[in-house]
Amino acid sequence: MMSSHRHGSCPVYANFDPLAKSFLDDPFAVLASLPRETPVFYAPSIDYYVVTRYADIKSVFLDPETYSAAPTQLPLVELVPEAAQILLGGGHKPQPSMVSVDPPAHTRLRSPTARAFTPERVMQMEPRIRRTINQLLNDIDPSSPFDLVSRLTFPLPATMIFSFLGIPERDWSQLKEWCGHRAVLGFGRPTPEEQVLRATQVAAYRRYLATFVASKATVRDDDLTSALLAIHDENPGALTHEEISSIVYGLTFAGHETTNYLIGNLVYRLLEKPERWDAVVADPKLIPSAVDETLRYDPPIPGWRRVTRRPVTLGGVDLPEGAKLFLWLAASGRDASVFPAPETFNLYRSDTSKSLAFGLGIHYCLGAALGKLEARLALEALTGRFPDLRLVAGQKFSFPPNISFRGPQSLWVQAPQDSQMR
Ligand code: HEM
């Protein structure tokens, strides 16, 4: 990939496009084709500066005063006025949730959420996660190949996060659909007609959540939304119903697509080289490392966004105020100055805790423990039930057309008959 011209002191890669099919299919091949000496470059295809080096991304995450989180959820392409109007009508604020606001607004939302989203509450989920995995796997007929995405990786996190929030089961499939619209609208490149259609769906999603929070307020239960409402009761001005609805809006999405792709990437990376799968089957103590190594090597959120609040130099490049940054998290996991032999998927690595897959600093992922627990338990169950699981040969993989969430959209596997009852 050649730099076609310069943007101030910054190289420009005119043909770098994270939404191009070739990129979606294999972003790591694109990464490998970039010259090493350009840690920051400008990509006109998305109008963002791309940041690739671990140390630079880390410094951005740790400096919220210089780098605002404002663009994290903004539509990547500017919406046509009709679509923007529809969103506003549904109560969708330009700054839609915790992950995209800076202090003090961020602290106002993060503190009560962290108070309600306790490690104990996550630990209590464990039996329910195991039960759900077993039910989903019991429904599979392993005598023929099956798609692990539709049978496990997609329904599991959705079931867990929606029940965790206390959302009635009858509405889960609708919510899953709304989350799909939200991914395209915020992180893809929809046409104007598509924007209007998807904005209409996101506005309905917003309205649904406002009604849901209002009805939860009258019928409480042992769920996270009720825990947030209890915090509201202590001091209604400190956490409003509208803010609770915005938190639930954040969690329904964050707790769902991310973990789906984490488990998909995890199983894919193990089965891609069957000896990796076999090593985990032989030694289940490797399961947590397999999850961590997947987060480094093939993270479910490969890119995240920030914007500069003042002129600043990053990676040797002078950036103006208002420069939009695409933090290429997937590239940071392949940074050889932090992870020796980064192109090797290594189940015995001891440095994966440094990975930036969950961000860092004040916005560090609130659901990291839950997401990793779901992935760990899913792999435990799969390796236990299907020790000889293999990929169906010759299948073509496709990935969602957006810049921030990546995992296989289907993953066909088969379990040889003679091994299933071991
Ligand atoms: C399992 C895969 C997951 C990955 C890779 C992931 C990754 C991330 C990343 C990169 C951020 C942004 C950090 C930043 O801006 O500095 C984030 C924020 C967040 N994540 Fe996750 N996440 C995952 C799962 C979850 C789950 C399961 C939940 C909830 C149940 C969750 C809830 C959140 C929330 C609420 C935030 C915003 C925190 C804030 O702004 O203070 N995530 N996550």
Side-chain angles (χ1 to χ4, degrees), residues 61 69 72 97-101 106 110 113 117 157 161 164 247 250-251 253-256 258-260 262 295 299-301 303-306 329 356-368 370-372 374-375:
F61 276 138
T72 54
S97 56
M98 176 190 330
V99 73
S100 55
V101 289
H106 173 256
R110 170 106 186 183
T113 313
F117 200 138
I161 192 67
F164 188 62
I247 292 168
L251 290 171
F253 189 70
H256 167 194
T258 52
T259 313
N260 168 24
L262 171 59
L295 284 158
I301 299 194
W304 209 235
R305 291 181 270 170
R306 289 290 189 264
L329 303 182
L356 299 175
F358 291 111
L360 205 64
I362 60 167
H363 288 280
Y364 181 80
C365 177
L366 259 180
L370 177 61
K372 282 171 64 160
E374 288 179 44

Side-chain angles (χ1 to χ4, degrees), residues 216-421:
K216 248 304 143 196
T218 58
V219 191
R220 309 287 172 100
D221 211 334
D222 180 22
D223 54 51
L224 189 88
T225 311
S226 299
L228 290 168
L229 284 161
I231 295 174
H232 163 85
D233 294 343
E234 286 169 16
N235 180 358
L239 182 67
T240 65
H241 277 200
E242 198 186 356
E243 286 172 317
I244 295 176
S245 173
S246 143
I247 292 168
V248 176
Y249 177 71
L251 290 171
T252 44
F253 189 70
H256 167 194
E257 300 281 10
T258 52
T259 313
N260 168 24
Y261 297 138
L262 171 59
I263 305 173
N265 291 345
L266 167 67
V267 175
Y268 172 70
R269 291 303 179 182
L270 293 177
L271 291 178
E272 180 188 33
K273 296 268 161 66
E275 61 272 21
R276 294 178 189 155
W277 180 266
D278 297 345
V280 174
V281 169
D283 182 4
K285 286 199 298 301
L286 289 173
I287 289 174
S289 343
V291 174
D292 289 341
E293 179 63 340
T294 302
L295 284 158
R296 176 196 73 84
Y297 185 82
D298 194 0
I301 299 194
W304 209 235
R305 291 181 270 170
R306 289 290 189 264
V307 64
T308 56
R309 292 156 168 266
R310 59 175 177 86
V312 64
T313 304
L314 181 69
V317 165
D318 296 329
L319 299 172
E321 178 183 343
K324 295 184 289 176
L325 308 183
F326 179 73
L327 309 176
W328 195 355
L329 303 182
S332 77
R334 303 291 182 104
D335 187 329
S337 67
V338 181
F339 303 106
E343 303 307 326
T344 309
F345 184 97
N346 178 356
L347 289 167
Y348 303 91
R349 223 174 245 288
S350 57
D351 51 12
T352 46
S353 62
K354 291 187 202 150
S355 151
L356 299 175
F358 291 111
L360 205 64
I362 60 167
H363 288 280
Y364 181 80
C365 177
L366 259 180
L370 177 61
K372 282 171 64 160
L373 179 64
E374 288 179 44
R376 190 165 63 67
L377 297 180
L379 186 56
E380 249 177 61
L382 282 170
T383 47
R385 276 197 196 214
F386 307 121
D388 294 320
L389 198 72
R390 291 293 180 257
L391 289 177
V392 170
Q395 64 184 304
K396 292 247 180 307
F397 294 101
S398 67
F399 298 88
N402 74 67
I403 57 161
S404 282
F405 305 97
R406 185 173 192 275
Q409 288 181 302
S410 63
L411 186 62
W412 285 90
V413 292
Q414 58 197 350
Q417 291 297 292
D418 53 3
S419 71
Q420 282 164 25
M421 299 315 296

